[in-house]
Amino acid sequence: MSMKHLHEYRDAEIAKKLINAIHSLKPRPMRFMEVCGTHTMSIFRHGIPALLPPWIELLSGPGCPVCVTALKDIDTFVSLSREKDVISATFGDLMRVPGSESSLGAQKAEGRDVRVVYSVFDALVTARENPDRAVVFNAVGFETTAPTIASALLTAEEEGISNFSIHSAHKMTPPALAALLDSPLVNIDGFLLPGHVSVITGTDGYRAVFDRYRVPSVIAGFEPVDILRAIYMLALQNLSGEPKLENAYERAVSPRGNPKAREIMTRIFAPADAMWRGIGTIPASGMVLKQEYDRFDACKRYGIRVEETPEPSGCACGDILMGIKKPVQCPMFGKGCTPVHPAGPCMVSGEGACAAYYRYMGDGESKKL
Ligand code: SF4
């Protein structure tokens, strides 16, 4: 993307025109969910809620990978880090996410070898450099990261790296949208679909869900102008009564997405029912290693099987990830739960809705909340 184009996506004049266009529409209450955690952060960083008319409400969705990682998966990561000679490689955000009795950060403090990596390939390098130890990568994320994990496993296979394995808590986006729309508690007039995930899935990746539920849906980029444009398109769809699946991130997302990345992903992973933290099990929404890649499955390698434990009482992350509640409606927000002492995953991750509210809305007194 040229500097000229980058400038356009942050252009205050274009943003102002879009804001005016939104305000000039016929007022009608509308609730739009930004599915992706990166959108949540961008929306708050740029103060977008305060720029919208009062009849448009934005809700955060289940697109923060750390937030939706099930308690059981966090407990599994913790158990794996306790195995003899294991180096546990993890994304930084996961360190402080509380499991049922510990966290990866607490394990590190107790002397386990837990290392923060920025990519699965860093973990692979660690495996190469430590042939006498075993490296377990804690794999979380969506369609965006899964192809990279799959590619790392193929590299490990090619190079005969046998001291590397993963526990996959990977998830897919379209089944989560369907689960939200199936819930009688959820009330959404439109989705701002995630830009990064859509680079892989393409617009076509949402076609089946859109055709079934006919809810206005627009793929959006991450600059303020991208987000405002998508909101405007969602509002127009609502007012016209003609729901559409549209792409407002044409510079990065094509109708077919990235078939090569999907091919690598589906070579390694198979769909499976998956538990989403605070939401529950969503059919065929997870990505588990196919049987022929069992040798990379850390749980099978170490014989680990963790039972699901109930969520600690008080944390409303599930309702927040489904757009049923806003962070300020959680009694612990800013009291028992802050970014320094998080009680739930939505306050830990930089992409979590509670963390975004706390950071950019402070005490939650804003009228837009
Ligand atoms: S404020 Fe804390 S306890 Fe409440 S929902 Fe958010 S993360 Fe959970």
Side-chain angles (χ1 to χ4, degrees):
M1 190 199 315
S2 70
M3 286 307 287
K4 175 182 172 289
H5 283 109
L6 187 63
H7 172 72
E8 277 173 14
Y9 298 117
R10 293 189 175 160
D11 191 302
E13 278 309 308
I14 300 175
K16 213 185 276 177
K17 277 188 190 149
L18 282 163
I19 293 163
N20 288 339
I22 294 170
H23 279 263
S24 71
L25 295 172
K26 195 169 164 227
R28 203 183 94 188
M30 298 179 197
R31 290 158 59 88
F32 301 146
M33 172 179 276
E34 85 274 359
V35 176
C36 166
T38 314
H39 275 150
T40 302
M41 287 310 283
S42 187
I43 283 168
F44 283 100
R45 188 181 308 121
H46 297 290
I48 288 177
L51 303 173
L52 298 176
W55 44 272
I56 294 185
E57 196 180 349
L58 294 181
L59 307 163
S60 301
C64 152
V66 165
C67 306
V68 295
T69 298
L71 204 52
K72 183 180 170 178
D73 288 315
I74 301 290
D75 289 348
T76 303
F77 297 148
V78 166
S79 292
L80 287 164
S81 75
R82 288 171 171 155
E83 287 293 316
K84 190 168 175 290
D85 285 335
V86 158
I87 299 169
S88 173
T90 190
F91 292 138
D93 266 5
L94 270 179
M95 287 292 266
R96 293 191 312 137
V97 179
S100 60
E101 45 92 20
S102 186
S103 66
L104 286 169
Q107 290 306 303
K108 187 176 171 70
E110 282 175 24
R112 318 271 182 220
D113 196 344
V114 182
R115 303 185 191 181
V116 172
V117 291
Y118 295 98
S119 150
V120 62
F121 280 97
D122 295 343
L124 203 55
V125 169
T126 307
R128 268 193 214 106
E129 289 171 351
N130 294 272
D132 300 333
R133 311 265 314 272
V135 173
V136 173
F137 179 69
N138 305 318
V140 300
F142 296 98
E143 293 90 337
T144 334
T145 44
T148 318
I149 312 278
S151 158
L153 292 181
L154 292 174
T155 305
E157 185 167 66
E158 266 166 38
E159 293 185 17
I161 300 174
S162 58
N163 62 334
F164 182 72
S165 60
I166 69 164
H167 172 61
S168 173
H170 262 85
K171 295 181 170 58
M172 288 184 274
T173 311
L177 303 183
L180 289 179
L181 295 171
D182 277 334
S183 167
L185 300 171
V186 174
N187 169 15
I188 297 167
D189 300 305
F191 285 120
L192 245 84
L193 294 172
H196 294 143
V197 164
S198 306
V199 171
I200 306 295
T201 63
T203 318
D204 294 350
Y206 307 98
R207 181 64 59 193
V209 174
F210 176 77
D211 286 347
R212 183 162 163 210
Y213 297 93
R214 311 285 302 168
V215 168
S217 303
V218 178
I219 296 170
F222 298 97
E223 299 296 342
V225 166
D226 292 323
I227 293 170
L228 288 167
R229 186 176 158 223
I231 291 171
Y232 180 56
M233 289 162 77
L234 285 173
L236 285 180
Q237 286 192 34
N238 270 271
L239 290 173
S240 72
E242 277 179 45
K244 289 184 206 148
L245 171 57
E246 294 184 298
N247 180 11
Y249 195 27
E250 304 93 330
R251 67 187 186 278
V253 175
S254 67
R256 292 183 63 229
N258 185 338
K260 198 163 168 237
R262 287 202 305 277
E263 189 277 317
I264 293 175
M265 189 167 87
T266 50
R267 205 186 315 167
I268 301 285
F269 293 111
D273 295 354
M275 176 68 87
W276 294 56
R277 191 161 193 171
I279 297 177
T281 299
I282 301 180
S285 66
M287 291 187 231
V288 294
L289 286 169
K290 284 187 168 168
Q291 214 172 4
E292 55 266 43
Y293 294 99
D294 259 7
R295 60 193 171 283
F296 292 115
D297 188 323
C299 285
K300 293 207 169 112
R301 198 174 276 203
Y302 296 100
I304 286 190
R305 197 182 155 79
V306 172
E307 295 305 323
E308 190 61 52
T309 42
E311 284 288 332
S313 61
C315 175
C317 267
D319 284 350
I320 287 162
L321 295 165
M322 292 178 78
I324 296 169
K325 277 189 183 160
K326 296 202 169 192
V328 282
Q329 292 171 300
C330 171
M332 292 167 80
F333 180 82
K335 300 181 183 86
C337 183
T338 63
V340 178
H341 296 291
C346 302
M347 190 61 97
V348 174
S349 168
E351 294 193 348
C354 297
Y357 265 68
Y358 193 88
R359 183 162 172 199
Y360 293 108
M361 296 294 204
D363 58 8
E365 291 299 314
S366 162
K367 64 183 171 53
K368 287 300 295 178
L369 294 172

